[in-house]
Amino acid sequence: MFRMLTKTSVTLGSRAAGWVRTMGSHQLLVPPPEALSKPLSVPKRLLLGPGPSNLAPRVLAAGGLRMIGHMQKEMFQIMDEIKQGIQYVFQTRNPLTLVVSGSGHCAMETALFNLLEPGDSFLVGANGIWGMRAAEIAERIGARVHQMIKEPGEHYTLQEVEEGLAQHKPVLLFLTHGESSTGVMQPLDGFGELCHRYQCLFLVDSVASLGGVPIYMDQQGIDILYSGSQKVLNAPPGISLISFSDKAKHKVYSRKTKPVSFYMDITYLAKLWGCEGKTRVVHHTTPVISLYCLRESLALISEQGLENCWQRHREATAYLHKRLQELGLQLFVKDPAIRLPTVTTVTVPAGYNWRDIVSYVLDHFNIEISGGLGPSEEKVLRIGLLGSNATTENVDLLAKALREALQHCPKNKL
């Protein structure tokens, strides 16, 4: 017996030595990063750009809760509560309502990948960066894309859209409710009914508007609506909200070809999120901690009430516009009726470099604002009043910072 144990030990020892030689046959070329030996340092800032926004304390606390498995019954309960919260903020009863594990941009691709097939006619309102992005994504799918191009700061009328519907006979119309690159709020009443008259589905991007502007998915005839977590909801970026009407679901489930993305295939995501009965099917590992945070952000807006949230954003933004105009600054969107209450665009004052203004406000006041994006680049400053950041106190802080910036930043001679 002893000899057998000794023999076995020698055999295992030689194997172990072989494993060690194999593991150590190459020297490490990359040493441990020195930067990672230091504590993580994050500056304290007031985020008054177009997003992300500061996390509400309750949301921040949710990010520190313990991890549980993504396919456990306790997690399913949280996911069901999130679905109910989305249905509330979207004002929809759609069963096919869920979270996409990716930013608002990922939700845009999820919608387009599932709804469009090669050769489908697609009508796009391109009055800012997000319509332009939707058009590019659809082109990559192989759809026949028809852009209704508008100058930054403009919106679409029912007559203009009807002309596009009649001419191009699209299966899908895309409009951005809150165009964060230009500060435009697109009216939505009547567009859903108009689309359905032409056998067209209606897709709306509400990433920059949800929670700060009235939106009624079912009553306005919106077939697909998506939004993000990081703006008015005051949750971490990286997840998004989406809902499909029964008509949109039928289009997805009756496709002739599979969606180009497996990760964003709604037929699988619906089973993961319990939209197809009680049995859940594993598709991917959901971002558990981010879902905790989203659940709490939806709880906060539910407790506050949508109407109260809309009113607070409207009042805070009206006060912001007043303070900006007192500084001699001009609002980029000329028509007050279509100014987005969550993201305000300001024309860069003559002679100034917008980067100097943004840098001064950040360096001296720890306040983040931003410049333009896409078609508004170099033309505007963008200021966001998102969720709990939409207060008159924050507006006063920003007004003081901008006043100093205009006094101290270099001004080019015209």
Side-chain angles (χ1 to χ4, degrees), residues 9 11 50 53 56 58 104 144 159 171 189 192 219 249 270 401 413:
S9 177
T11 302
S53 59
R58 183 164 152 188
R144 293 181 289 115
Q159 181 180 346
V171 300
D189 285 343
Q219 296 177 67
K249 178 181 177 180
K413 294 182 179 181

Side-chain angles (χ1 to χ4, degrees), residues 35-320:
L36 294 182
S37 66
K38 302 173 183 177
L40 176 65
S41 177
V42 179
K44 183 179 181 180
R45 288 179 179 168
L46 176 59
L47 305 182
L48 296 184
S53 59
N54 293 97
L55 302 188
R58 183 164 152 188
V59 174
L60 191 61
L65 297 176
R66 61 179 59 88
M67 180 71 70
I68 59 174
H70 67 293
M71 295 299 289
Q72 298 301 314
K73 63 179 182 180
E74 294 85 358
M75 195 63 215
F76 294 158
Q77 176 64 34
I78 293 171
M79 293 165 73
D80 286 342
E81 292 170 2
I82 289 171
K83 286 168 58 179
Q84 294 171 32
I86 297 172
Q87 289 170 326
Y88 172 66
V89 294
F90 279 9
Q91 283 297 288
T92 183
R93 293 190 174 93
N94 292 333
L96 187 48
T97 299
L98 50 85
V99 170
V100 176
S101 300
S103 67
H105 203 301
C106 190
M108 176 194 285
E109 295 204 339
T110 298
L112 295 175
F113 286 170
N114 283 275
L115 291 162
L116 292 177
E117 296 189 73
D120 280 348
S121 178
F122 179 42
L123 186 62
V124 187
N127 62 337
I129 187 69
W130 305 117
M132 295 164 63
R133 292 276 178 89
E136 181 175 343
I137 294 166
E139 287 174 354
R140 295 185 181 202
I141 295 171
R144 293 181 289 115
V145 179
H146 309 284
Q147 296 189 53
M148 300 180 292
I149 298 174
K150 286 266 192 175
E151 289 296 316
E154 297 181 352
H155 73 294
Y156 297 93
T157 66
L158 287 167
Q159 181 180 346
E160 290 168 338
V161 169
E162 183 166 15
E163 290 173 358
L165 292 171
Q167 179 181 355
H168 302 295
K169 298 177 175 54
V171 300
L172 183 67
L173 166 69
F174 174 93
L175 291 178
T176 307
H177 186 213
E179 180 48 79
S180 60
S181 68
T182 63
V184 168
M185 179 182 67
Q186 170 65 44
L188 296 177
D189 285 343
F191 287 90
E193 180 184 354
L194 180 62
C195 284
H196 299 157
R197 199 185 311 156
Y198 285 84
Q199 290 75 52
C200 174
L201 296 174
F202 186 27
L203 166 61
V204 174
D205 176 320
S206 69
V207 172
S209 59
L210 182 72
V213 181
I215 191 166
Y216 309 89
M217 183 175 186
D218 289 356
Q219 296 177 67
Q220 291 175 319
I222 300 169
D223 291 295
I224 311 94
L225 181 65
Y226 67 84
S227 191
S229 58
Q230 77 278 15
K231 296 187 187 286
V232 172
L233 294 182
N234 298 134
I239 54 176
S240 49
L241 303 62
I242 196 166
S243 182
F244 292 75
S245 70
D246 288 341
K247 289 181 180 178
K249 178 181 177 180
H250 177 74
K251 174 75 167 72
V252 173
Y253 281 65
S254 59
R255 291 175 60 98
K256 298 176 183 177
T257 60
K258 292 183 178 181
V260 295
S261 170
F262 180 88
Y263 184 68
M264 301 175 194
D265 189 330
I266 280 295
T267 63
Y268 287 102
L269 296 178
K271 295 174 183 176
L272 172 64
W273 276 85
C275 302
E276 298 290 345
K278 294 183 178 181
T279 302
R280 312 254 181 165
V281 178
V282 177
H283 176 255
H284 68 278
T285 304
T286 54
V288 171
I289 301 298
S290 292
L291 292 178
Y292 295 168
C293 294
L294 179 60
R295 190 269 181 201
E296 289 301 276
S297 70
L298 291 168
L300 286 170
I301 201 168
S302 297
E303 292 167 8
Q304 181 183 355
L306 273 174
E307 297 93 339
N308 293 329
C309 194
W310 296 335
Q311 181 179 355
R312 182 165 53 80
H313 281 82
R314 185 168 58 249
E315 292 174 351
T317 299
Y319 183 63
L320 171 65

